[in-house]
Amino acid sequence: MKATCFMGRNKVEVQEVPDPKILNASDVIVKITSTAICGSDLHLVDGYIPAVMHGDVLGHEFMGEVVEVGSNVKTLKSGDRVVVPFDIACGVCNACRNEMYSVCENSNPNAWMAASMWGHAGAGAFGYSHLTGGYAGGQAEYARVPFADVGPMKVPDGMTDEQVLFLSDILPTGYMGADLCDIKPGDVIAVWGCGPVGQFAIVSAYLLGAERVIAIDRFEYRLRMAREKAGAETIDYEEQDVLDTLKEMTGGRGPDACIDAVGMESHGHGPMWIYDRAMQAARVETDRGTALREAIMACRNGGTVSIIGVYGGFMDKFPIGSIMNRSLTIKTGQTHVQRYMRPLLERIQNGEIDPTFIITHTLPLEQAPHGYDIFKNKLDECEKVILKPGAVSATTGSYAHA
Ligand code: NAD
Ligand code: ZN
Ligand code: ZN
């Protein structure tokens, strides 16, 4: 089959790889009809997540048709159309029973590797390095899906791939970012990052009762989408001082909660930015902190900072003093997708959310390298790329950027 493979730092290629097979009785094989490129994939391709090997199949946002079923699978049959959560969860461990699926205790066969870095391991995940189990990803024609009775959700008839694909990750992620803020009526929420995750965090904050949402980025087309499609007020951090502007917009008090939808490759300016880039390049720190530090400093006393941007390891100049002295609450996590997908499906069905507004590019799988290029480098007003295996491709190629 064809699959999108990591071929070294900043190098992605569509290659021919062996078809996946059922390995455990609880597996299914899914023939993928739609899959997407995520900001989390960029952290892998940019070389900031360890233990990604040459030839690893990328992708953790995918859906399709069940074509093979393990002997122990009870809820799915061949022909079922499913959307698959990015985190792999057993459904029966202590974490899963508490709906903390992204820290499932049974799905990461390389738990020792993750525990050596983080103290304890998180769940397995598709296409997301050997730290999360080395599972082949879904930017491919087929994928093996373990614990098939727990993760995949059947898609109701009549719904398009585009309506439900983002239930695999970024819609639950944006929603969890807002959910962690414990929003009260009248609250003002600030969101750093107007990528796909940031857009869904904005929409979700309103759904959960926020009065105002203020979004921060530097790309005008993304800020425009945040204003026009998600309904936020916006700050361009290259034009305005973010902390001063947020104070002005909130009567001096600061937002009630701040959502970091940027993560470890935060862009910035000034001496701290140069410092972070140098420290990250030298591998002294793994995570650049401009956005997170700003989210912490901006938050009102006693407020919540919700971190859904992905971080990998260690950050320098972390403002613990601001957190401690001002009674801030920090909440975070890889998304517990299985907790949110069904309630969010209902919100899509009843018209409260239309997640298709973020899609700017639909490409054949073979053009995944081009998709990575435009998504990473913010070219052609790219917000979200969907890849279609089996679609006819005019061009193929590899993406290689310094
Ligand atoms: P993206 O790269 O499209 O968006 C990131 C945005 O942040 C960009 O628009 C960029 O311009 C902006 N940005 C960079 N520096 C900034 C700064 N200092 N201040 C404000 N904005 C800044 O990525 P995405 O797909 O939207 O994902 C966003 C983050 O969410 C990534 O870190 C991704 O790994 C993470 N993520 C987490 C989960 C989870 O389970 N918690 C799931 C999916 C994605
Ligand atoms: Zn993702
Ligand atoms: Zn579990």
Side-chain angles (χ1 to χ4, degrees), residues 88-97 100-101 103-107 147:
I88 300 170
C90 76
V92 295
C93 73
N94 191 50
C96 286
R97 276 190 276 118
M100 306 279 282
Y101 300 99
V103 289
C104 170
E105 294 160 4
N106 284 327
S107 61
F147 301 112

Side-chain angles (χ1 to χ4, degrees), residues 375-394:
F375 180 57
K376 171 179 164 162
N377 296 304
K378 318 302 191 260
L379 305 174
D380 198 21
E381 304 214 335
C382 181
E383 179 80 22
K384 187 74 177 176
V385 180
I386 294 189
L387 302 169
K388 298 276 188 181
V392 181
S393 165

Side-chain angles (χ1 to χ4, degrees), residues 341-357:
M341 32 183 0
R342 282 168 184 83
L344 285 171
L345 174 70
E346 272 175 36
R347 287 190 188 262
I348 298 170
Q349 284 176 306
N350 67 24
E352 288 176 88
I353 309 176
D354 175 8
T356 61
F357 77 88

Side-chain angles (χ1 to χ4, degrees), residues 37-43 60-61 86 128 169-170 173 176 191-199 216-219 222 237 242 260-269 290-292 294 307-311 332-337 375-376 378 382-384:
I37 304 175
C38 177
S40 300
D41 295 322
L42 299 181
H43 306 322
H60 56 270
E61 301 180 358
F86 78 82
Y128 215 70
D169 176 355
I170 54 171
T173 297
M176 185 169 103
V191 178
W192 274 255
C194 295
V197 171
Q199 305 286 348
I216 301 140
D217 205 302
R218 77 184 155 119
F219 291 100
R222 291 183 165 215
Y237 68 80
V242 176
D260 171 352
V262 175
M264 66 198 291
E265 290 185 72
S266 177
H267 171 265
H269 45 84
T290 318
L292 179 54
E294 210 166 67
I307 309 170
I308 45 168
V310 162
Y311 290 88
T332 184
Q334 293 282 358
T335 303
H336 307 294
V337 174
F375 180 57
K376 171 179 164 162
K378 318 302 191 260
C382 181
E383 179 80 22
K384 187 74 177 176

Side-chain angles (χ1 to χ4, degrees), residues 73-90:
V73 175
K74 296 181 179 66
T75 57
L76 296 177
K77 57 180 189 326
S78 280
D80 282 345
R81 195 165 153 242
V82 291
V83 54
V84 180
F86 78 82
D87 38 2
I88 300 170
C90 76

